[in-house]
Amino acid sequence: MGVLNEVQSLGDLPKEVCNKHKLISRNLQEVLGEEKMISILKERDLKIYWGTATTGRPHIAYFVPMSKIADFLNAGCEVTILFADLHAYLDNMKAPWDLLALRTQYYEHSIKAMLKSIGVPLEKLKFMRGTEYQLSRDYTLDVYKLSSLITEHDAKKAGAEVVKQVEHPLLSGLLYPGLQALDEEYLKVDAQFGGIDQRKIFTFAEKYLPQLGYSKRIHLMNPMVPGLTGGKMSSSEEESKIDLLDSPSVVKKKLKKAFCEPGNIADNGVLAFAKHVIFSLLKPEEKFIVVRAEANGGNLEFNNYEQLEQNFASQELHPADLKTAVENYINRLLEPIRKIFEDRDLKTLVAKAYPPPGKTNTADDEIGPQKLDIRVGKIVAVSKHPDADALYVEKIDLGEPEPRTVVSGLVQYVTEEELLNKKVIVLCNLKPAKMRGIESSGMVLCASIENGSSKTLELLEPPDESDAGDRVFVENYENGTPENVLNPKKKIWEKLQVNLKTSSACEAEWQGNVLCTHKGKVRCKSLKNALIK
């Protein structure tokens, strides 16, 4: 059942219940279990929890759930905030175990600072860490019980939009949805609140919790707020988000680049932030003010978001003026947080919790993309393998005295004519291996999407002005030294390859860090969110 938008649709319920329902449900995209919510509100206040996995650094999109938490509290709800530290580790080890406690501390300080910034009294909230109860005997037994009920298909489907998707998923990712479902019971709440991207986990919880004898909960879902570049605002895409500790000059720079096409109200992160954060936090008598020079028509004032959207859609409000106004409000929200984090101990915490790439001593950081010797190559000769119909034998100029021989399974996807004189991206430090009798000394990297028995493949392409031998590096890992030859026993390539993919802009990335030469970015023609192999 969707969200009831009009209080009148609640019939003859007391005004107090109507007002609480309106606060709880405003700006939500969907509510599952609305009848149950209304039934509880007739008797008592609702108990709600919101959880966040302590992975990448929180950014301004977190103000969206924070503003809803303010609504819940104003509606008299009992609210628990869960710092899901164990979930952070289970999600493809986004938070390495030795950084887990530090990142959880950072999240706790950040979330509390955000809540203070918008005037939410912390004494009305309950804060929990997942490991406070998720390692208990009863919880662990319930995890085992769930594992005997849940199919692999349902576990994968539930986590598809939340758990990091890789070609060879870890078992931990399959456990993630079950743990989140059990949190509802162990936190003793009526409802769980989250983004619409959590919907599959919520319906998963509704299916499986009753099989353990636990009640089905209510689920409240926020819409996903677009990032500044369009699409989801993500911790891993630096230009798509504004960090809580970004300076005013950085905020200005990022907003200046933000996608905000004149008259376009769809997939507009600047407008979305105004709707879901700024307007929801304005006091009843407060207006949204756009400061403009008299020559440009003077200041504009808006009583509600609908007026702002209509004004922008009709192009009476220019994107630059909207960005300037939103910039001012963002800095008002961030300034108290910046001041809190001027504390020396908190600065130390930030540095330890999120160390620069390549400067930690964890096993994951030791095996980083700086170990890969990836270069631009030019195919100077190509022929079919004499003993394998699916393979080409290529001679590739990699800026070395002699071209290298590389064997590639590209016959089904690219013609010899297309490959000849083609510039490609080559992994150069794999241990040479014989392929049907011919030794191959490298791998031509491609973007690949598999759908059942069918497979689509495209060559990765360097920037147009690249030369044979140009080194390809991963942003933030530029200073590493590649291994001469990757040790097959350590499976370095296999461990790194699972996080290589193309972005929604078809750019090659490793964990959100772009692959580049000094002349630009590496990309493919059209395959988005594809694995690189």
Side-chain angles (χ1 to χ4, degrees), residues 13-50:
L13 293 175
K15 184 178 179 181
E16 184 182 6
V17 173
C18 292
N19 289 339
K20 287 182 177 183
H21 176 274
K22 184 177 180 180
L23 275 171
I24 291 168
S25 60
R26 73 167 178 169
N27 287 338
L28 293 179
Q29 183 164 330
E30 187 175 6
V31 174
L32 299 176
E34 190 155 23
E35 290 180 6
K36 182 176 181 179
M37 178 174 75
I38 294 169
S39 176
I40 292 172
L41 286 174
K42 290 180 190 177
E43 304 294 330
R44 59 172 173 81
D45 290 323
L46 210 62
K47 297 177 182 179
I48 302 173
Y49 105 83
W50 173 76

Tab-separated table of all heavy atoms in Angstrom, residues 13-50:
chain	number	residue	atom	x	y	z
A	13	LEU	N	-10.646	9.519	12.035
A	13	LEU	CA	-9.655	9.357	13.099
A	13	LEU	C	-9.440	10.675	13.833
A	13	LEU	O	-9.621	11.761	13.267
A	13	LEU	CB	-8.328	8.886	12.507
A	13	LEU	CG	-8.309	7.469	11.913
A	13	LEU	CD1	-6.974	7.209	11.258
A	13	LEU	CD2	-8.577	6.426	12.984
A	14	PRO	N	-9.040	10.593	15.098
A	14	PRO	CA	-8.762	11.822	15.858
A	14	PRO	C	-7.722	12.693	15.147
A	14	PRO	O	-6.827	12.180	14.464
A	14	PRO	CB	-8.227	11.301	17.192
A	14	PRO	CG	-8.753	9.914	17.302
A	14	PRO	CD	-8.838	9.388	15.904
A	15	LYS	N	-7.832	13.995	15.335
A	15	LYS	CA	-6.930	14.935	14.679
A	15	LYS	C	-5.474	14.661	15.042
A	15	LYS	O	-4.580	14.770	14.197
A	15	LYS	CB	-7.307	16.359	15.069
A	15	LYS	CG	-6.478	17.424	14.367
A	15	LYS	CD	-6.932	18.823	14.749
A	15	LYS	CE	-6.072	19.868	14.047
A	15	LYS	NZ	-6.493	21.250	14.437
A	16	GLU	N	-5.229	14.278	16.300
A	16	GLU	CA	-3.853	14.008	16.744
A	16	GLU	C	-3.242	12.855	15.946
A	16	GLU	O	-2.081	12.922	15.537
A	16	GLU	CB	-3.832	13.680	18.234
A	16	GLU	CG	-2.413	13.476	18.784
A	16	GLU	CD	-2.402	13.109	20.262
A	16	GLU	OE1	-3.497	12.898	20.832
A	16	GLU	OE2	-1.311	13.031	20.833
A	17	VAL	N	-4.031	11.811	15.706
A	17	VAL	CA	-3.545	10.668	14.921
A	17	VAL	C	-3.280	11.102	13.489
A	17	VAL	O	-2.262	10.725	12.876
A	17	VAL	CB	-4.559	9.501	14.961
A	17	VAL	CG1	-4.139	8.388	14.006
A	17	VAL	CG2	-4.699	8.963	16.374
A	18	CYS	N	-4.181	11.907	12.938
A	18	CYS	CA	-3.991	12.405	11.568
A	18	CYS	C	-2.705	13.216	11.444
A	18	CYS	O	-1.942	13.061	10.487
A	18	CYS	CB	-5.181	13.262	11.149
A	18	CYS	SG	-6.716	12.361	10.935
A	19	ASN	N	-2.473	14.090	12.428
A	19	ASN	CA	-1.272	14.935	12.383
A	19	ASN	C	0.002	14.099	12.492
A	19	ASN	O	0.995	14.359	11.805
A	19	ASN	CB	-1.323	15.967	13.509
A	19	ASN	CG	-2.373	17.035	13.259
A	19	ASN	OD1	-2.788	17.244	12.114
A	19	ASN	ND2	-2.807	17.715	14.307
A	20	LYS	N	-0.018	13.100	13.373
A	20	LYS	CA	1.151	12.229	13.517
A	20	LYS	C	1.394	11.441	12.235
A	20	LYS	O	2.540	11.296	11.785
A	20	LYS	CB	0.957	11.283	14.705
A	20	LYS	CG	1.079	11.971	16.057
A	20	LYS	CD	0.933	10.992	17.212
A	20	LYS	CE	1.130	11.711	18.552
A	20	LYS	NZ	1.061	10.788	19.700
A	21	HIS	N	0.314	10.935	11.653
A	21	HIS	CA	0.450	10.192	10.399
A	21	HIS	C	1.031	11.073	9.298
A	21	HIS	O	1.897	10.644	8.520
A	21	HIS	CB	-0.912	9.646	9.966
A	21	HIS	CG	-0.875	8.952	8.632
A	21	HIS	ND1	-1.020	9.636	7.444
A	21	HIS	CD2	-0.682	7.651	8.312
A	21	HIS	CE1	-0.922	8.774	6.435
A	21	HIS	NE2	-0.722	7.571	6.938
A	22	LYS	N	0.563	12.319	9.242
A	22	LYS	CA	1.050	13.236	8.213
A	22	LYS	C	2.548	13.485	8.363
A	22	LYS	O	3.299	13.472	7.382
A	22	LYS	CB	0.283	14.552	8.288
A	22	LYS	CG	0.658	15.545	7.186
A	22	LYS	CD	-0.194	16.797	7.265
A	22	LYS	CE	0.187	17.777	6.156
A	22	LYS	NZ	-0.641	19.015	6.211
A	23	LEU	N	3.009	13.699	9.595
A	23	LEU	CA	4.432	13.925	9.835
A	23	LEU	C	5.262	12.697	9.490
A	23	LEU	O	6.328	12.785	8.873
A	23	LEU	CB	4.665	14.301	11.306
A	23	LEU	CG	4.508	15.777	11.678
A	23	LEU	CD1	4.555	15.939	13.183
A	23	LEU	CD2	5.594	16.617	11.009
A	24	ILE	N	4.779	11.530	9.896
A	24	ILE	CA	5.525	10.290	9.665
A	24	ILE	C	5.644	9.991	8.182
A	24	ILE	O	6.702	9.563	7.703
A	24	ILE	CB	4.858	9.110	10.400
A	24	ILE	CG1	5.006	9.268	11.918
A	24	ILE	CG2	5.458	7.763	9.955
A	24	ILE	CD1	4.140	8.321	12.719
A	25	SER	N	4.585	10.238	7.427
A	25	SER	CA	4.552	9.778	6.030
A	25	SER	C	4.924	10.832	4.996
A	25	SER	O	5.124	10.504	3.826
A	25	SER	CB	3.156	9.240	5.701
A	25	SER	OG	2.178	10.242	5.870
A	26	ARG	N	5.080	12.103	5.399
A	26	ARG	CA	5.353	13.124	4.380
A	26	ARG	C	6.712	12.892	3.721
A	26	ARG	O	7.682	12.492	4.360
A	26	ARG	CB	5.267	14.527	4.974
A	26	ARG	CG	6.413	14.934	5.888
A	26	ARG	CD	6.370	16.428	6.134
A	26	ARG	NE	7.418	16.856	7.051
A	26	ARG	CZ	7.721	18.130	7.264
A	26	ARG	NH1	7.070	19.092	6.641
A	26	ARG	NH2	8.690	18.444	8.113
A	27	ASN	N	6.736	13.140	2.413
A	27	ASN	CA	7.933	12.993	1.581
A	27	ASN	C	8.411	11.549	1.436
A	27	ASN	O	9.472	11.310	0.846
A	27	ASN	CB	9.097	13.856	2.097
A	27	ASN	CG	8.891	15.325	1.822
A	27	ASN	OD1	8.132	15.693	0.929
A	27	ASN	ND2	9.548	16.180	2.594
A	28	LEU	N	7.677	10.565	1.983
A	28	LEU	CA	8.058	9.169	1.755
A	28	LEU	C	7.595	8.737	0.374
A	28	LEU	O	6.601	9.237	-0.150
A	28	LEU	CB	7.434	8.251	2.814
A	28	LEU	CG	7.922	8.412	4.254
A	28	LEU	CD1	7.186	7.440	5.167
A	28	LEU	CD2	9.432	8.192	4.357
A	29	GLN	N	8.313	7.784	-0.220
A	29	GLN	CA	7.894	7.260	-1.512
A	29	GLN	C	6.905	6.110	-1.356
A	29	GLN	O	5.999	5.953	-2.164
A	29	GLN	CB	9.103	6.773	-2.321
A	29	GLN	CG	8.730	6.273	-3.714
A	29	GLN	CD	9.916	6.166	-4.632
A	29	GLN	OE1	10.884	6.909	-4.506
A	29	GLN	NE2	9.871	5.240	-5.577
A	30	GLU	N	7.065	5.333	-0.266
A	30	GLU	CA	6.174	4.175	-0.100
A	30	GLU	C	6.129	3.767	1.374
A	30	GLU	O	7.104	3.930	2.108
A	30	GLU	CB	6.666	2.989	-0.942
A	30	GLU	CG	5.717	1.811	-0.956
A	30	GLU	CD	6.150	0.691	-1.888
A	30	GLU	OE1	7.266	0.778	-2.446
A	30	GLU	OE2	5.372	-0.262	-2.049
A	31	VAL	N	4.968	3.255	1.780
A	31	VAL	CA	4.803	2.659	3.106
A	31	VAL	C	4.223	1.264	2.921
A	31	VAL	O	3.215	1.096	2.232
A	31	VAL	CB	3.853	3.498	3.996
A	31	VAL	CG1	3.583	2.771	5.317
A	31	VAL	CG2	4.440	4.872	4.271
A	32	LEU	N	4.863	0.264	3.525
A	32	LEU	CA	4.326	-1.096	3.563
A	32	LEU	C	3.780	-1.331	4.973
A	32	LEU	O	4.515	-1.205	5.943
A	32	LEU	CB	5.411	-2.123	3.240
A	32	LEU	CG	6.066	-2.031	1.865
A	32	LEU	CD1	7.184	-3.065	1.734
A	32	LEU	CD2	5.048	-2.220	0.752
A	33	GLY	N	2.485	-1.645	5.066
A	33	GLY	CA	1.879	-1.881	6.376
A	33	GLY	C	1.242	-0.642	6.962
A	33	GLY	O	1.258	-0.439	8.172
A	34	GLU	N	0.650	0.200	6.096
A	34	GLU	CA	0.096	1.462	6.574
A	34	GLU	C	-1.100	1.255	7.510
A	34	GLU	O	-1.264	1.984	8.494
A	34	GLU	CB	-0.318	2.329	5.388
A	34	GLU	CG	-0.672	3.734	5.789
A	34	GLU	CD	-0.497	4.725	4.650
A	34	GLU	OE1	-0.531	4.300	3.480
A	34	GLU	OE2	-0.333	5.912	4.941
A	35	GLU	N	-1.912	0.262	7.227
A	35	GLU	CA	-3.064	0.008	8.099
A	35	GLU	C	-2.603	-0.345	9.512
A	35	GLU	O	-3.194	0.092	10.508
A	35	GLU	CB	-3.933	-1.109	7.519
A	35	GLU	CG	-4.677	-0.706	6.251
A	35	GLU	CD	-5.528	-1.845	5.710
A	35	GLU	OE1	-5.629	-2.891	6.390
A	35	GLU	OE2	-6.074	-1.683	4.608
A	36	LYS	N	-1.544	-1.147	9.598
A	36	LYS	CA	-0.995	-1.505	10.901
A	36	LYS	C	-0.458	-0.261	11.608
A	36	LYS	O	-0.635	-0.097	12.825
A	36	LYS	CB	0.113	-2.548	10.735
A	36	LYS	CG	0.705	-3.025	12.053
A	36	LYS	CD	1.724	-4.136	11.826
A	36	LYS	CE	2.293	-4.635	13.151
A	36	LYS	NZ	3.276	-5.732	12.958
A	37	MET	N	0.195	0.627	10.853
A	37	MET	CA	0.724	1.853	11.448
A	37	MET	C	-0.398	2.699	12.051
A	37	MET	O	-0.295	3.177	13.182
A	37	MET	CB	1.484	2.663	10.391
A	37	MET	CG	2.037	3.986	10.917
A	37	MET	SD	3.080	4.849	9.714
A	37	MET	CE	1.849	5.472	8.583
A	38	ILE	N	-1.484	2.855	11.313
A	38	ILE	CA	-2.604	3.655	11.809
A	38	ILE	C	-3.216	3.002	13.046
A	38	ILE	O	-3.575	3.676	14.018
A	38	ILE	CB	-3.655	3.846	10.699
A	38	ILE	CG1	-3.056	4.691	9.564
A	38	ILE	CG2	-4.916	4.500	11.242
A	38	ILE	CD1	-3.891	4.728	8.310
A	39	SER	N	-3.300	1.677	13.009
A	39	SER	CA	-3.863	0.950	14.153
A	39	SER	C	-3.034	1.190	15.416
A	39	SER	O	-3.581	1.413	16.506
A	39	SER	CB	-3.922	-0.548	13.831
A	39	SER	OG	-4.370	-1.286	14.940
A	40	ILE	N	-1.701	1.168	15.276
A	40	ILE	CA	-0.824	1.407	16.434
A	40	ILE	C	-0.954	2.843	16.916
A	40	ILE	O	-1.013	3.112	18.120
A	40	ILE	CB	0.638	1.071	16.079
A	40	ILE	CG1	0.803	-0.437	15.850
A	40	ILE	CG2	1.596	1.541	17.183
A	40	ILE	CD1	2.164	-0.841	15.317
A	41	LEU	N	-1.008	3.796	15.953
A	41	LEU	CA	-1.093	5.211	16.326
A	41	LEU	C	-2.362	5.525	17.115
A	41	LEU	O	-2.398	6.475	17.900
A	41	LEU	CB	-1.023	6.090	15.072
A	41	LEU	CG	0.355	6.217	14.403
A	41	LEU	CD1	0.249	6.982	13.091
A	41	LEU	CD2	1.356	6.900	15.339
A	42	LYS	N	-3.406	4.742	16.909
A	42	LYS	CA	-4.635	4.939	17.698
A	42	LYS	C	-4.403	4.607	19.171
A	42	LYS	O	-5.066	5.153	20.055
A	42	LYS	CB	-5.751	4.029	17.169
A	42	LYS	CG	-6.295	4.410	15.810
A	42	LYS	CD	-7.385	3.407	15.441
A	42	LYS	CE	-7.837	3.549	14.015
A	42	LYS	NZ	-8.843	2.511	13.664
A	43	GLU	N	-3.428	3.702	19.425
A	43	GLU	CA	-3.200	3.217	20.784
A	43	GLU	C	-1.998	3.876	21.459
A	43	GLU	O	-2.019	4.159	22.655
A	43	GLU	CB	-2.984	1.688	20.764
A	43	GLU	CG	-4.113	0.905	20.115
A	43	GLU	CD	-5.405	0.993	20.906
A	43	GLU	OE1	-5.325	1.127	22.148
A	43	GLU	OE2	-6.486	0.941	20.292
A	44	ARG	N	-0.920	4.095	20.667
A	44	ARG	CA	0.324	4.596	21.259
A	44	ARG	C	1.223	5.135	20.156
A	44	ARG	O	0.895	5.051	18.964
A	44	ARG	CB	1.055	3.472	22.010
A	44	ARG	CG	1.409	2.280	21.145
A	44	ARG	CD	2.283	1.282	21.875
A	44	ARG	NE	2.493	0.061	21.103
A	44	ARG	CZ	3.380	-0.085	20.131
A	44	ARG	NH1	4.150	0.937	19.781
A	44	ARG	NH2	3.508	-1.244	19.502
A	45	ASP	N	2.388	5.657	20.572
A	45	ASP	CA	3.356	6.169	19.593
A	45	ASP	C	4.130	5.019	18.959
A	45	ASP	O	4.338	3.961	19.568
A	45	ASP	CB	4.323	7.148	20.260
A	45	ASP	CG	3.636	8.447	20.648
A	45	ASP	OD1	2.768	8.903	19.879
A	45	ASP	OD2	3.955	8.989	21.730
A	46	LEU	N	4.574	5.263	17.752
A	46	LEU	CA	5.280	4.255	16.964
A	46	LEU	C	6.741	4.129	17.401
A	46	LEU	O	7.372	5.114	17.792
A	46	LEU	CB	5.229	4.666	15.487
A	46	LEU	CG	5.246	3.584	14.417
A	46	LEU	CD1	4.022	2.678	14.537
A	46	LEU	CD2	5.278	4.241	13.020
A	47	LYS	N	7.281	2.907	17.322
A	47	LYS	CA	8.699	2.651	17.583
A	47	LYS	C	9.359	2.344	16.241
A	47	LYS	O	8.996	1.388	15.565
A	47	LYS	CB	8.876	1.474	18.543
A	47	LYS	CG	8.289	1.706	19.932
A	47	LYS	CD	8.447	0.476	20.805
A	47	LYS	CE	7.815	0.696	22.183
A	47	LYS	NZ	7.940	-0.525	23.036
A	48	ILE	N	10.355	3.151	15.883
A	48	ILE	CA	10.980	3.077	14.553
A	48	ILE	C	12.489	2.964	14.703
A	48	ILE	O	13.081	3.543	15.612
A	48	ILE	CB	10.655	4.341	13.723
A	48	ILE	CG1	9.144	4.527	13.574
A	48	ILE	CG2	11.310	4.293	12.338
A	48	ILE	CD1	8.750	5.838	12.902
A	49	TYR	N	13.115	2.225	13.774
A	49	TYR	CA	14.588	2.277	13.732
A	49	TYR	C	15.068	2.581	12.331
A	49	TYR	O	14.439	2.220	11.332
A	49	TYR	CB	15.189	0.983	14.286
A	49	TYR	CG	15.770	0.003	13.283
A	49	TYR	CD1	17.071	0.152	12.782
A	49	TYR	CD2	15.031	-1.111	12.857
A	49	TYR	CE1	17.605	-0.751	11.892
A	49	TYR	CE2	15.563	-2.024	11.973
A	49	TYR	CZ	16.852	-1.842	11.477
A	49	TYR	OH	17.382	-2.741	10.587
A	50	TRP	N	16.189	3.294	12.290
A	50	TRP	CA	16.909	3.555	11.039
A	50	TRP	C	18.342	3.084	11.232
A	50	TRP	O	18.985	3.397	12.240
A	50	TRP	CB	16.908	5.052	10.727
A	50	TRP	CG	17.780	5.426	9.547
A	50	TRP	CD1	17.503	5.234	8.235
A	50	TRP	CD2	19.071	6.066	9.584
A	50	TRP	NE1	18.527	5.703	7.446
A	50	TRP	CE2	19.502	6.210	8.259
A	50	TRP	CE3	19.879	6.515	10.624
A	50	TRP	CZ2	20.727	6.797	7.934
A	50	TRP	CZ3	21.097	7.096	10.311
A	50	TRP	CH2	21.506	7.244	8.974
